[in-house]
């Protein structure tokens, strides 16, 4: 079989439109740089800079600011965490105002990345990015440290809630839209953390061994799409090593980001993740963070110290002697500085530094948070159609659990946002319940949140009260899961199990009331198997931001119809995970031995290991029928191949279905996954309504990465197109022949 190099069949479309919208950088592989006038301005500024000024720009001036060169009107870039809202709580990095100091602001707490992923709605991601970008500009800052696009490889990774799940295509689509939303506001988005940052365990010291094909097919795509499609203005390098070299000084920065993908923006380090001067500058690092006096405080952190990082590697004191000695060619210094200047010009920041222009936490931004929370929750189980609750026929509702009276808006660490407007499920249910009697019982405290409740006696009292409430109510709602202390940056979960005491609470309540509904907060799989058969209805609410309570109540009472689908495989037990045995690694070495077989790619090959719920799965209060898949019999690799399918709402109420398109290449010359997600569309349908959904496929969608030929290859021969309501609920299938 002839192998056709993918590049030979790709239609290269270059878009050189530059306007207020994010300037779409030059197409991949083209040599033009961004907007010509930008380059002239950049070159003009660079030529005026002294060597000292250029060196000054390579290291931050504070926790969250780059270094300004006032003499030339070059402003500091004022950064802020995090991916789902402006960080406004304790922690030195929680800088939230133009003056660079920390003042408490009530920024909008948007849903976590995993909830946006569960929505499978790129337009929602764009809206969130836009709303967040507007808030950053409104407080006079210039750059948001998000999105997080690291793949959910390990079920216990503390930051799974921040990312968009296990699939590179889904992650890429959402990342691109989010970045375009942020940058449409003239705010710099920072796609992070490049690359293979998939566990918190010893993140400053671990060395990830990952093969080239897994990098290209699993861990790179979202970064590549961010650069080549969204024209992302900055990339953050990760803490860990990849194949023996720290990310902050890894040759991948130049070889992959800058040369292969033609990245025009600048690279910023993760905080306290640089370990050398010449190697780091020569690798392409533009801004080491944090900088200035705070760097020293930062370095006192235990995990930073343990890694031997004594910080401040890119300060002028260290850089200048190495430029003079030639260890750092001045051309490298110039290129790193040029990239910062280019984005300052292209983003408009050099002409219009942000002032407190807009406003934050507006009803409009709050509405975006609510839409995200509503679209980002998943109905996992609904036996006997217990849900939606029929308010008219209910007299008493028991609302139980440690996550009932608290809005678990997000996971912990740099992405956490404390809004003053958090809505807990209990409050929203009370608002909704009208004359229904709502009986609240804590049931069990979140471990560590209330030590007085952690004694055996207190726990018995709490549980007895919860059982009594359940016994005397028409239905029992149990709200469990984690808090931002249990699922957080800086540490991984120790187990898939729910926090101590929650399984027993659920079992006791389910024994007391056959109409028990469990709603849980987590960013990844949790152990459900101990009680899933005793509980008729289960909702995965992830971390829904400040409006989570309203979204959950609306879904339970049927004001909205849940439409979320799993962005990761929901496994039964940790030992089923593809990374099991290769997580968290041995002696600080983590071997990604599963290669490309992450998530559903693995389970489709190892059919004896059945997940509890498959990737792409989620229920609805209505039902959908698929018909009429149409696509040409042959495809010559030119012009997109169009596949269309009709979806009908065969139920009695409006709903949104996420139609998924998978590709199979059964005759590939290399081992390939049984199927790979290459298209999806969220379609809203009234009862009885039909819509035809069209997908456009190109050769890239059919390709695998050949490590032998170091390029993407689409091999001629038969391909299958699978249309599914989940990765394991394939409703339509058709084949075509790729002729060349
Ligand atoms: C943190 C995180 C990164 C964050 C940065 C600034 O350690 O890894 O995501 O943006 O440092 O707080």
């Amino acid at each position: 079989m002839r192998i056709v190099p993918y590049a030979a069949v790709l239609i290269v479309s270059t878009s050189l439109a530059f306007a207020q919208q994010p300037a779409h950088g030059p197409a991949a592989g083209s040599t033009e740089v961004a907007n010509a006038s930008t380059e002239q301005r950049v070159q003009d500024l660079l030529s005026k800079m002294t060597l000292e000024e250029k060196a000054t720009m390579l290291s931050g001036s504070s926790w969250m600011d780059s270094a300004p060169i006032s003499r030339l009107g070059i402003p500091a870039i004022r950064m802020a965490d995090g991916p789902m809202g402006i960080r406004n709580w304790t922690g030195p990095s929680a800088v939230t105002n133009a003056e660079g100091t920390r003042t408490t602001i009530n920024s909008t707490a948007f849903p976590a990345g995993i909830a946006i992923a569960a929505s499978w709605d790129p337009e929602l991601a764009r809206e969130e990015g836009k709303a967040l970008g507007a808030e950053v500009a409104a407080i006079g800052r210039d750059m948001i440290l998000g999105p997080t696009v690291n793949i959910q490889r390990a079920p216990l990774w503390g930051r799974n809630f921040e990312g968009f799940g296990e699939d590179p295509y889904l992650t890429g689509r959402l990342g691109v839209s989010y970045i375009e939303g942020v940058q449409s506001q003239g705010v710099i988005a920072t796609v992070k953390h490049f690359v293979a940052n998939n566990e918190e365990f010893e993140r400053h010291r671990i060395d990830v061994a990952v093969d080239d094909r897994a990098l290209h097919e699993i861990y790179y795509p979202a970064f590549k799409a961010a650069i080549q499609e969204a024209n992302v203005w900055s990339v953050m390098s990760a803490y860990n090593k990849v194949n023996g070299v720290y990310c902050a000084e890894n040759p991948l920065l130049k070889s992959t980001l800058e040369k292969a993908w033609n990245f025009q923006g600048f690279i910023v380090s993760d905080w306290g993740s640089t370990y050398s001067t010449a190697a780091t500058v020569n690798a392409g690092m533009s801004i080491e963070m944090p900088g200035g006096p705070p760097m020293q405080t930062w370095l006192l952190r235990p995990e930073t110290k343990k890694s031997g990082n004594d910080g401040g590697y890119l300060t002028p004191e260290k850089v200048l002697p190495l430029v003079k000695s030639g260890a750092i060619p001045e051309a490298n210094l110039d290129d790193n500085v040029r990239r910062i200047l280019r984005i300052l010009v292209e983003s408009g920041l050099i002409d219009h530094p942000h002032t407190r222009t807009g406003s934050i936490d507006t009803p409009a931004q709050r509405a975006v948070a609510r839409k995200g929370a509503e679209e980002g929750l998943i109905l996992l189980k609904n036996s006997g159609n217990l849900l939606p609750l029929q308010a008219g026929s209910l007299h008493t509702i028991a609302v139980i659990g440690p996550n009932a009276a608290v809005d678990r808006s997000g996971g912990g660490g740099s992405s956490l946002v404390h809004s003053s407007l958090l809505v807990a499920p209990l409050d929203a249910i009370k608002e909704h319940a009208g004359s229904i009697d709502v009986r609240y019982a804590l049931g069990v405290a979140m471990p560590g949140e209330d030590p007085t409740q952690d004694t055996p006696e207190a726990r018995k009292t709490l549980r007895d009260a919860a059982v009594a409430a359940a016994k005397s109510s028409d239905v029992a709602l149990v709200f469990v899961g984690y808090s931002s202390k249990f699922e957080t940056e800086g540490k991984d979960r120790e187990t898939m199990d729910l926090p101590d005491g929650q399984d027993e609470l659920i079992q006791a309540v389910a024994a007391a009331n056959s109409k028990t509904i469990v709603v849980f907060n987590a960013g990844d799989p949790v152990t459900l198997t101990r009680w899933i058969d005793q509980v008729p209805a289960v909702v995965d609410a992830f971390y829904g931001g400040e409006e989570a309570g309203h979204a959950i109540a609306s879904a339970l009472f049927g004001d909205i119809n849940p439409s979320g689908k799993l962005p990761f495989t929901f496994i039964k037990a940790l030992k089923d995970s593809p990374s099991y045995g290769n997580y968290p690694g041995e002696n600080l070495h983590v071997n990604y031995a599963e290669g490309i077989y992450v998530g559903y790619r693995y389970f489709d090959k190892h059919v004896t290991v059945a997940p509890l719920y498959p990737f792409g799965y989620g229920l609805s209060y209505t039902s959908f029928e698929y018909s009429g898949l149409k696509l040409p019999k042959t495809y010559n690799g030119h012009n997109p191949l169009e596949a269309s399918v009709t979806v009908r709402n065969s139920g009695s109420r409006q709903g949104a279905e996420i139609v998924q398109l998978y590709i199979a290449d059964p005759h590939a010359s290399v081992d390939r996954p049984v199927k790979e997600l290459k298209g999806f569309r969220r379609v809203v349908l009234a009862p009885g309504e039909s819509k035809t959904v069209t997908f456009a496929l190109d050769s890239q969608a059919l390709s695998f990465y050949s490590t032998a030929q170091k390029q993407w290859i689409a091999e001629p021969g038969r391909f299958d197109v699978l249309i599914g309501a989940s990765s394991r609920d394939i409703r339509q299938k058709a084949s075509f022949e790729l002729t060349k």
Side-chain angles (χ1 to χ4, degrees):
M1 171 188 295
R2 214 158 46 83
I3 307 278
V4 179
Y6 149 64
V9 294
L10 174 72
I11 315 300
V12 179
S13 63
T14 58
S15 69
L16 294 175
F18 302 108
Q20 277 316 315
Q21 289 308 317
H24 292 280
S30 70
T31 51
E32 301 103 292
V33 290
N35 190 322
S37 69
T38 299
E39 291 317 298
Q40 284 156 0
R41 288 189 64 183
V42 164
Q43 203 45 46
D44 174 50
L45 278 167
L46 196 63
S47 61
K48 289 173 183 162
M49 293 174 81
T50 63
L51 191 61
E52 289 68 19
E53 288 169 332
K54 289 192 262 190
T56 300
M57 290 193 69
L58 296 191
S59 197
S61 61
S62 74
W63 286 119
M64 278 278 158
D65 299 279
S66 76
I69 306 291
S70 312
R71 179 179 76 84
L72 296 170
I74 297 170
I77 298 173
R78 294 171 291 201
M79 309 172 190
D81 280 318
M84 295 303 149
I86 296 169
R87 183 183 183 184
N88 56 9
W89 59 291
T90 55
S93 292
V95 174
T96 53
N97 64 17
E99 292 67 41
T101 54
R102 283 183 18 240
T103 52
T104 305
I105 58 163
N106 295 320
S107 47
T108 303
F110 294 101
I114 201 67
I116 295 186
S119 77
W120 292 58
D121 186 353
E123 284 322 300
L124 168 75
R126 185 189 310 280
E127 282 179 58
E128 288 230 10
K130 201 168 168 186
L132 175 52
E135 292 207 0
V136 173
I139 64 166
R141 300 197 75 78
D142 311 317
M143 175 166 154
I144 191 74
L145 302 169
T148 298
V149 298
N150 297 106
I151 293 295
Q152 186 168 141
R153 167 189 185 254
L156 302 182
W157 180 35
R159 298 179 82 167
N160 278 323
F161 70 90
E162 249 184 83
F164 296 127
E166 75 186 25
D167 182 80
Y169 179 80
L170 175 61
T171 299
R173 294 308 93 209
L174 297 170
V176 162
S177 298
Y178 176 99
I179 291 161
E180 289 179 336
V182 167
Q183 298 190 166
S184 70
Q185 304 303 300
V187 169
I188 300 165
T190 308
V191 66
K192 70 186 186 182
H193 313 76
F194 188 76
V195 69
N197 180 174
N198 307 102
E199 62 184 62
E200 291 308 280
F201 176 80
E202 292 286 1
R203 64 176 175 163
H204 289 256
R205 298 202 294 162
I206 54 169
D207 180 6
V208 170
V210 51
D211 67 69
D212 212 22
R213 186 164 176 212
L215 280 172
H216 280 87
E217 293 196 17
I218 304 295
Y219 301 103
Y220 282 169
F223 290 97
K224 181 177 180 183
I227 290 168
Q228 296 197 329
E229 297 177 49
N231 186 36
V232 73
W233 284 330
S234 83
V235 176
M236 184 188 292
S237 59
Y239 280 115
N240 51 282
K241 294 176 185 172
V242 169
N243 296 327
V245 182
Y246 273 116
C247 285
E249 57 191 76
N250 200 300
L252 290 177
L253 301 183
K254 276 201 187 295
S255 65
T256 304
L257 294 181
E258 297 182 2
K259 289 196 172 58
W261 299 344
N262 201 27
F263 178 50
Q264 296 293 307
F266 63 84
I267 299 165
V268 59
S269 77
D270 204 337
W271 269 234
S273 67
T274 51
Y275 292 87
S276 67
T277 301
T280 303
V281 176
N282 292 336
M285 181 60 61
S286 283
I287 308 179
E288 167 190 68
M289 291 301 289
M295 166 61 94
Q296 300 319 317
T297 318
W298 180 274
L299 292 165
L300 298 177
R301 290 161 36 123
E303 67 270 35
T304 316
K305 280 177 74 72
K306 210 163 57 172
S307 71
N309 183 314
D310 53 15
Y313 292 93
L314 270 52
T315 56
E317 299 72 48
K318 295 201 172 163
V319 169
L320 287 170
L322 293 169
V323 176
K324 288 175 179 134
S325 75
I328 298 176
E330 189 165 351
N332 287 349
L333 171 61
D334 287 354
D335 186 48
N336 298 359
V337 172
R338 184 179 295 115
R339 290 171 175 277
I340 304 169
L341 298 174
R342 177 179 296 136
I343 300 313
L344 280 169
V345 172
E346 199 164 290
S347 64
L349 278 175
I350 204 160
D351 299 321
H352 318 287
H354 285 126
T355 54
R356 288 180 175 274
T357 45
S359 49
I360 57 174
D361 209 24
T362 63
Q365 281 142 344
R366 194 169 170 70
V368 172
R370 175 155 188 171
K371 181 180 175 192
E374 289 178 349
E375 291 191 15
L377 57 80
I378 298 181
L379 182 58
L380 289 177
K381 184 178 179 183
N382 190 21
S383 300
N385 293 323
L386 176 57
L387 290 175
L389 299 174
Q390 306 303 325
S393 61
L394 291 175
H395 305 288
T396 49
I397 298 178
V399 178
I400 296 163
N403 288 11
V406 176
D407 175 359
R408 304 295 182 186
S409 59
S414 57
S415 69
L416 185 62
V417 179
H418 280 318
S419 159
S420 66
L421 302 159
L422 297 176
V423 177
L426 176 62
D427 302 332
I429 288 164
K430 282 178 177 169
E431 281 171 31
H432 221 287
S435 60
I436 299 172
D437 176 11
V438 176
R439 297 171 179 176
Y440 169 66
L442 176 60
V444 64
M446 182 66 73
E449 273 186 352
D450 182 349
T452 63
Q453 306 285 16
D454 280 350
T455 63
E457 301 74 25
R459 286 175 72 152
K460 184 178 181 329
T461 307
L462 283 174
R463 185 162 334 140
D464 290 350
V467 168
K471 265 204 174 71
S472 64
S473 298
D474 296 329
V475 295
L477 307 178
V478 188
F479 293 86
V480 290
Y482 300 106
S483 71
S484 58
K485 294 281 180 297
F486 279 87
E487 194 151 22
T488 178
E489 173 183 346
K491 69 175 182 178
D492 294 334
R493 282 188 294 160
E494 284 148 27
T495 165
M496 265 180 54
D497 292 353
L498 289 168
D500 192 17
Q502 293 183 8
D503 281 338
E504 294 76 5
L505 173 68
I506 294 164
Q507 288 163 333
V509 169
N513 189 320
S514 63
K515 294 183 175 176
T516 291
I517 296 142
V518 171
V519 181
F520 67 91
N521 303 112
D524 27 31
V526 298
T527 308
L528 305 181
T529 47
R530 295 194 185 97
W531 42 263
I532 188 72
D533 297 334
Q534 284 80 47
V535 170
V538 178
V539 173
D540 190 343
F542 300 104
Y543 295 100
E546 65 185 44
E547 279 286 318
H550 282 141
I552 291 166
S554 297
L556 293 175
F557 284 99
D559 296 358
I560 61 157
N561 183 355
S563 60
K565 302 258 182 169
L566 281 172
F568 53 80
T569 303
F570 207 109
I571 54 179
K572 290 174 181 160
L574 193 58
K575 65 175 175 39
D576 296 343
S577 163
S579 59
Y580 189 73
N582 289 296
Y583 163 84
E586 302 282 332
N587 307 321
L588 301 176
H589 272 79
V590 194
N591 181 14
Y592 284 21
E594 74 281 357
I596 60 171
Y597 294 103
V598 171
Y600 66 90
R601 290 169 164 82
Y602 173 86
F603 293 100
D604 285 349
K605 288 269 184 189
H606 301 76
V607 291
T608 54
V609 184
L612 186 60
Y613 301 111
F615 174 81
Y617 167 89
L619 298 177
S620 170
Y621 294 148
T622 186
S623 55
F624 300 98
E625 285 168 359
Y626 291 61
S627 61
L629 172 58
K630 286 189 187 57
L631 51 90
K633 281 284 165 236
T634 60
Y635 175 47
N636 65 9
H638 295 288
N639 304 325
L641 171 140
E642 290 214 342
S644 64
V645 66
T646 299
V647 186
R648 190 173 81 84
N649 179 343
S650 47
S652 59
R653 53 170 297 154
Q654 167 161 316
E657 171 67 323
I658 291 151
V659 184
Q660 300 156 42
L661 181 148
Y662 296 87
I663 286 291
D665 181 2
H667 305 299
S669 64
V670 297
D671 201 77
R672 290 193 75 174
V674 170
K675 64 173 93 76
E676 298 169 54
L677 182 73
K678 296 295 179 184
F680 61 88
R681 191 86 84 268
R682 186 175 190 278
V683 57
V684 179
L685 295 167
E689 184 183 9
S690 291
K691 277 182 187 167
T692 297
V693 177
T694 302
F695 297 95
L697 296 172
D698 61 12
S699 301
Q700 172 64 36
L702 310 179
S703 300
F704 64 86
Y705 184 77
S706 162
T707 48
Q709 306 204 34
K710 295 216 174 301
Q711 59 179 346
W712 288 88
I713 302 268
E715 290 177 336
R718 193 192 107 207
F719 283 84
D720 299 332
V721 170
L722 313 171
I723 303 290
S726 88
S727 63
R728 294 207 169 184
D729 180 2
I730 300 304
R731 304 286 186 87
Q732 295 276 298
K733 182 175 173 180
S735 305
F736 67 89
E737 187 83 11
L738 175 63
T739 53
K740 71 183 179 71

